[in-house]
Amino acid sequence: MSSKGSAPAKAGLRVGVIGAGVMGSNHARVLSGLPGVSLVGVVDPSHAHRARATELANCPSFETLDQLIAAGVDAVTIAAPTHLHHEVALACIARNIHVLVEKPIASTVAEGREIVAAAHKAGVTLMVGHVERFNPAVAAVKQAIAGEDILSIAITRVGPFPPRMSNVGVVIDLAVHDIDLIRWFTESDIVEVQPQLSSAVAEREDIALLQFRTANGVLAHINTNWLTPFKARSVTVATRGKYVMGDLLTRQVTECFGFKPDGSYSMRHLPVGHDEPLRAELIAFLKAVRNGETPAVTGDEGVASLEIATQCLETPSRPAAKSPALKGPRRVVG
């Protein structure tokens, strides 16, 4: 088996996909079409999942991880359920296989740190699949605020209850994307967390209003839920010099600038690329593997976002200070 990306150039990198659910099947589909990549196959214990992935990607499938490893892989993408990330990632890293693991990196911060430490010790590339960073609209927002004095960020990520949901709520499933984006936009750590959570329909939290302050003083807010009948994904960033609005679904990014004392300002639409985010992410991972570069989203970054998400779930809500009780209705004066 070749390892550490040492396959002959003409054969390309030998890559496998672990997990053939919706996300894993998409990984296989994209990888099967990338130049310089040989898709060795997908792994999933479910026959139905394997059948779907092989139809999408026209590649072999395996029932167990050992079978895939025996076939010989240089790198893998892990799109298995989150509770399996730790075990699967460590098994691959132990065999000097480069790893892209879907977000969140693991079920717990401790498990995430173990994965990072193992990859560092083995000298293999470890990247975390925070795919939203590769959304062309997000990239356009990031470019627009480069060098700006950021004041606040507001992100909305809402939609209907997902049929595939497992054992996590909206904070781990959805908000972890935006926690990563806040850290990436501000290039700063989150130092204060003020969460408000509610379980309206689901067993776990299905509404989350999360407020943050970063080390460099930016205020940020995430509104996320599974109670909205349609999907909405938006980002707004206020800086001292401009106001940037991005719709991550329609991929429209608008910038307001040139504020005048009379309240007038200029507005323009920014150019946004057309790349498929997952394709851009996988290309970035394979480039890091080939060149031995630091990946676009490091294991440490993945752990940091998971740590903030975990804090949101563990921080108790503080009751508001009670004002003196008012007996009877308030009297309207005048």
Side-chain angles (χ1 to χ4, degrees):
M1 185 191 93
S2 59
S3 66
K4 295 200 178 182
S6 57
K10 64 178 180 181
L13 280 174
R14 294 178 60 80
V15 183
V17 176
I18 301 163
V22 173
M23 199 67 194
S25 297
N26 279 321
H27 277 233
R29 170 184 59 79
V30 171
L31 287 166
S32 68
L34 291 182
V37 171
S38 172
L39 179 57
V40 176
V42 295
V43 179
D44 200 290
S46 160
H47 175 74
H49 283 185
R50 292 199 303 275
R52 175 178 59 193
T54 52
E55 188 180 343
L56 262 179
N58 190 27
C59 67
S61 67
F62 305 94
E63 201 169 340
T64 69
L65 176 59
D66 286 342
Q67 290 170 344
L68 173 71
I69 291 172
V73 285
D74 303 307
V76 295
T77 68
I78 301 174
T82 302
H83 69 274
L84 298 174
H85 287 186
H86 178 251
E87 175 192 341
V88 171
L90 291 183
C92 293
I93 290 166
R95 292 166 175 82
N96 287 326
I97 298 167
H98 303 285
V99 170
L100 168 76
V101 58
E102 269 299 339
K103 67 84 195 164
I105 184 170
S107 294
T108 68
V109 171
E111 287 185 354
R113 285 181 178 144
E114 279 185 41
I115 294 170
V116 171
H120 182 72
K121 187 176 178 184
V124 300
T125 299
L126 169 65
M127 179 164 151
V128 183
H130 280 282
V131 72
E132 199 68 282
R133 283 208 205 176
F134 297 88
N135 183 321
V138 168
V141 170
K142 170 78 168 169
Q143 190 173 356
I145 62 176
E148 291 284 317
D149 184 5
I150 301 171
L151 302 175
S152 70
I153 298 172
I155 304 180
T156 297
R157 185 180 298 271
V158 296
F161 193 85
R164 61 175 176 79
M165 211 55 252
S166 56
N167 58 347
V168 297
V170 288
V171 171
I172 297 295
D173 185 51
L174 297 182
V176 76
H177 280 294
D178 304 313
I179 290 167
D180 177 69
L181 291 186
I182 289 164
R183 297 182 73 259
W184 190 51
F185 285 153
T186 61
E187 297 177 5
S188 181
D189 289 326
I190 290 169
V191 293
E192 282 182 39
V193 175
Q194 293 178 318
Q196 294 291 340
L197 310 175
S198 179
S199 304
V201 179
E203 202 175 308
R204 294 181 183 255
E205 83 286 351
D206 49 21
I207 306 171
L209 299 175
L210 311 175
Q211 293 193 140
F212 308 99
R213 184 188 294 270
T214 66
N216 56 5
V218 177
L219 299 182
H221 173 88
I222 297 172
N223 169 27
T224 187
N225 68 54
W226 282 329
L227 305 176
T228 309
F230 54 85
K231 266 189 176 183
R233 307 276 189 269
S234 66
V235 174
T236 59
V237 182
T239 77
R240 290 204 185 276
K242 58 177 73 169
Y243 186 77
V244 181
M245 301 171 283
D247 187 316
L248 307 189
L249 295 180
T250 64
R251 298 189 182 174
Q252 288 184 305
V253 179
T254 307
E255 179 180 82
C256 305
F257 61 99
F259 306 116
K260 302 284 196 313
D262 65 1
S264 65
Y265 58 88
S266 302
M267 185 183 257
R268 66 184 165 210
H269 294 297
L270 300 180
V272 177
H274 298 287
D275 293 351
E276 179 187 359
L278 180 60
R279 186 173 189 273
E281 177 182 71
L282 290 171
I283 287 171
F285 168 58
L286 297 172
K287 181 172 178 282
V289 168
R290 287 189 178 101
N291 301 338
E293 300 169 352
T294 301
V297 186
T298 65
D300 284 329
E301 288 176 302
V303 169
S305 293
L306 176 60
E307 190 165 19
I308 296 300
T310 303
Q311 275 183 39
C312 289
L313 296 175
E314 293 174 349
T315 303
S317 295
R318 287 175 301 193
K322 288 183 179 177
S323 53
L326 292 170
K327 292 182 180 177
R330 293 188 183 187
R331 195 182 311 160
V332 178
V333 179

